[in-house]
């Protein structure tokens, strides 16, 4: 069977009152939990292109992170009803929310309210992911805000050229990496903030206490709550994170106060997949967690999807029509449902290539790939080696967890 993405059924959300019962509602069978900037939009569209899988009303719901006070019926209202499932012959639905991966409290809530779904992680070369996030979560919004005069740094003039802002008012990728490496090294020290705060917050919770004890008894690496505790809090009005205090003091006319600071602070941190994934292994049996290497999404798409659908318990399916639509939410084609056709991809870039910019600024949300690869990232060789040496042990931990080795591991 074949089904193109154009024929995917879209279901409107049903705004149910808090007292509504979830009777007659279906639970998602899989969650794509991240990582951001690793191809979650494309993977979700490919999976829901299978003729026995129905999509949710939107790709990322983020219920367990941003809407936990809403009733479970509100969440389940995003998925097809039991009647729709029975009428269509579908076997599965699911969602893809990259904001789920980094947070242990999401794991706790999902385990309590939604036991049993399959967990899927997408991962990408860590330095590639960090560079992509720098460009799209720091450079693009900094340029947009500067041009429109929306910055808190009022000394920076609006309406200038991109080159002007890049040369005078943007921190370089190199500067941001060095600042983040410093705080991560401190945080990951034995007994450091990441370990200490994780134990204080989660060490006595019923769902995690056995794992904390097991690691202590067996001398295993501690659980670390990286995203919540390694970066610190706001220092003062123009210093939103302590890792940037020295940079801002030396460069007061450079831009740092932007939306999505949780993404700007963690170019390296969100490329260390093993630490947040270890929390998910507490709540789910290992056979219910699956790693997708994003190079397989580009280079071995059919084999990757065949393995994944078999793991999900789905029948064989020809994905060629679905994949032929292109890749989703990349380059200038913003939006989780916006496909970039393969013919727009630059073949000289290798793999899926680079998407040509639109309107002078390449923009992308937090989700997909297709930018320069590691060897083309403009940082000194010694810093490249330092970053790769720093993340390498965590790459190996990812392999040990999942039994899957990506080409960059």
């Amino acid at each position: 069977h074949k089904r193109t993405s154009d024929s995917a059924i879209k279901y409107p959300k049903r705004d149910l009152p808090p007292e509504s019962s979830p009777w007659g509602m279906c639970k998602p069978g899989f969650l794509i939990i991240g990582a951001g900037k690793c191809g979650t939009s494309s993977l979700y569209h490919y999976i829901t292109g299978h003729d026995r899988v129905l999509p949710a009303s939107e790709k990322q719901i983020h219920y367990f992170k941003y809407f936990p006070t809403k009733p479970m019926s509100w969440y389940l209202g995003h998925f097809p009803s039991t009647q729709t499932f029975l009428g269509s012959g579908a076997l599965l639905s699911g969602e893809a929310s990259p904001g789920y991966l980094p947070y242990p409290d999401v794991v706790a809530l999902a385990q309590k309210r939604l036991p049993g779904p399959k967990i899927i992680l997408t991962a990408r070369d860590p330095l590639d992911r960090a560079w992509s996030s720098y460009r799209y979560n720091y450079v693009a919004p900094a340029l947009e805000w500067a041009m429109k005069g929306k910055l808190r740094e009022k000394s920076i003039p609006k309406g200038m050229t991109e080159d002007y802002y890049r040369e005078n008012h943007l921190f370089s990728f190199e500067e941001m990496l060095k600042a983040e490496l410093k705080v991560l090294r401190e945080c990951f020290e034995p007994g450091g903030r990441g370990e200490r705060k994780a134990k204080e917050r989660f060490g006595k919770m019923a769902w995690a206490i056995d794992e904390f004890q097991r690691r202590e008894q067996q001398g295993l690496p501690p659980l670390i709550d990286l995203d919540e505790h390694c970066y610190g809090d706001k220092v003062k009005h123009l210093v939103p994170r302590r890792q940037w205090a020295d940079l801002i003091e030396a460069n007061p006319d450079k831009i740092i106060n932007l939306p999505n600071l949780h993404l700007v602070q963690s170019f390296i941190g969100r490329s260390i997949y093993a630490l947040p994934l270890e929390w998910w292994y507490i709540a789910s049996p290992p056979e219910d967690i699956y790693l997708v290497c994003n190079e397989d999404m580009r280079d071995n798409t059919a084999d990757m999807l065949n393995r994944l659908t078999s793991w999900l318990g789905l029948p064989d399916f020809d994905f060629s029509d679905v994949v032929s639509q292109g890749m989703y939410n990349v380059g200038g084609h913003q939006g989780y449902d916006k496909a970039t056709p393969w013919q727009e991809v630059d073949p000289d870039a290798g793999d899926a290539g680079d998407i040509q910019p639109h309107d002078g600024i390449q923009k992308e949300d937090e989700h997909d790939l297709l930018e320069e690869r590691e060897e083309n990232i403009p940082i000194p060789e010694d810093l490249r080696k330092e970053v790769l040496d720093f993340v390498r042990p965590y790459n190996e931990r990812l392999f040990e967890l999942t039994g899957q080795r990506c080409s960059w591991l």
Side-chain angles (χ1 to χ4, degrees), residues 1-4 46 302 305 317-326 342:
H1 302 286
K2 294 183 180 182
R3 187 179 77 193
T4 68
Y46 297 159
L305 287 170
F317 181 74
D318 182 353
F319 285 94
S320 57
D321 284 349
V322 177
V323 174
S324 70
Q325 301 296 310
W342 293 112

Side-chain angles (χ1 to χ4, degrees), residues 324-337:
S324 70
Q325 301 296 310
M327 303 204 68
Y328 288 81
N329 196 28
V330 298
H333 295 256
Q334 288 193 23
Y336 310 127
D337 298 321

Side-chain angles (χ1 to χ4, degrees), residues 2-266:
K2 294 183 180 182
R3 187 179 77 193
T4 68
S5 60
D6 290 335
S7 62
I9 304 172
K10 298 294 182 182
Y11 298 95
K13 287 184 287 187
R14 291 167 290 174
D15 201 7
L16 300 171
E19 65 273 12
S20 292
S21 167
W23 179 260
M25 309 175 94
C26 289
K27 296 180 180 180
F30 68 89
L31 303 177
I32 301 176
I33 60 172
K37 302 297 295 173
C38 293
T40 60
S41 293
S42 293
L43 183 61
Y44 183 72
H45 278 275
Y46 297 159
I47 294 175
T48 57
H50 192 292
D51 63 358
R52 306 297 292 276
V53 179
L54 294 180
S57 61
E58 55 188 289
K59 172 241 177 181
Q60 59 180 51
I61 303 169
H62 274 133
Y63 171 68
F64 298 104
K65 177 58 183 173
Y66 298 118
F67 306 103
T69 60
K70 291 183 178 291
M72 193 66 181
S73 57
W74 178 88
Y75 176 60
L76 297 180
H78 289 76
F79 300 98
S81 66
T82 304
Q83 183 178 6
T84 301
F85 261 94
L86 293 174
S88 67
L91 299 173
L92 204 61
S93 186
E95 64 146 325
S97 294
Y100 287 164
L101 174 63
Y103 303 108
D105 56 339
V106 169
V107 182
L109 189 62
Q111 180 197 47
K112 180 180 180 180
R113 297 187 186 178
L114 187 72
K118 302 280 191 176
I119 304 299
I120 302 171
L121 169 76
T122 60
R124 176 182 186 179
D125 179 285
L127 194 53
D128 281 0
R129 199 218 72 86
W131 169 239
S132 176
S133 186
Y134 166 78
R135 293 171 66 207
Y136 291 106
N137 292 312
Y138 174 67
V139 174
L143 292 175
E144 180 179 352
W145 278 41
M147 290 176 177
K148 293 180 179 179
K150 296 169 62 177
L151 297 169
R152 292 184 183 179
E153 297 86 352
K154 298 303 181 185
S155 61
I156 300 175
K158 71 174 183 178
M160 307 298 283
T161 66
E162 281 188 39
D163 287 343
Y164 168 82
Y165 292 119
R166 289 177 186 274
E167 291 171 9
N168 297 286
H169 296 295
L170 295 190
F171 287 110
S172 69
F173 188 48
E174 178 181 352
E175 290 173 312
M176 299 293 268
L177 289 183
K178 288 179 176 179
E180 187 181 352
L181 274 173
K182 182 179 178 180
V183 298
L184 289 181
R185 290 188 193 282
E186 294 172 358
C187 192
F188 292 178
E189 283 289 321
R193 182 180 176 87
E195 174 186 348
R196 188 175 67 254
K197 290 294 184 179
K199 188 172 183 179
E200 288 175 5
R201 185 174 181 188
F202 299 105
K204 294 183 179 180
M205 291 188 177
W207 69 278
I209 188 171
D210 288 347
E211 181 63 12
F212 276 95
Q213 293 176 349
R214 183 183 77 87
R215 287 172 180 253
E216 288 182 2
Q217 293 167 0
Q218 298 182 17
L220 299 173
L223 292 164
I224 290 178
D225 187 357
L226 188 164
D227 220 82
E228 292 280 19
H229 296 298
C230 283
Y231 297 104
D233 299 319
K234 182 178 182 179
V235 178
K236 54 185 178 180
H237 177 62
L238 293 178
V239 185
R241 297 290 185 273
R242 64 185 178 89
Q243 73 202 67
W244 300 318
D246 292 341
L247 281 179
I248 293 170
E249 183 179 357
N251 305 276
D253 288 333
K254 290 195 175 182
I255 301 167
I256 201 65
N257 277 285
L258 293 168
N260 290 329
L261 281 175
H262 62 294
L263 304 176
V264 177
Q265 71 184 10
S266 54

Side-chain angles (χ1 to χ4, degrees), residues 327-400:
M327 303 204 68
Y328 288 81
N329 196 28
V330 298
H333 295 256
Q334 288 193 23
Y336 310 127
D337 298 321
K338 298 291 181 65
T340 297
W342 293 112
Q343 58 264 33
E344 293 187 23
V345 172
D346 176 7
D348 295 329
D351 297 328
D354 286 346
I355 304 305
Q356 297 302 314
H358 291 249
D359 302 323
I361 303 176
Q362 258 190 338
K363 295 182 179 179
E364 180 174 286
D365 220 339
E366 60 176 302
H367 310 293
D368 267 308
L369 34 148
L370 298 189
E371 290 88 19
E372 287 94 333
R373 285 152 44 174
E374 180 193 311
E375 60 268 24
N376 300 319
I377 297 171
I379 56 174
E381 189 58 37
D382 59 343
L383 179 59
R384 182 191 311 275
K385 182 178 185 302
E386 184 180 2
V387 172
L388 295 178
D389 287 347
F390 182 77
V391 301
R392 186 170 292 112
Y394 304 104
N395 291 345
E396 290 299 325
R397 280 168 71 170
L398 180 67
F399 168 67
E400 291 294 331

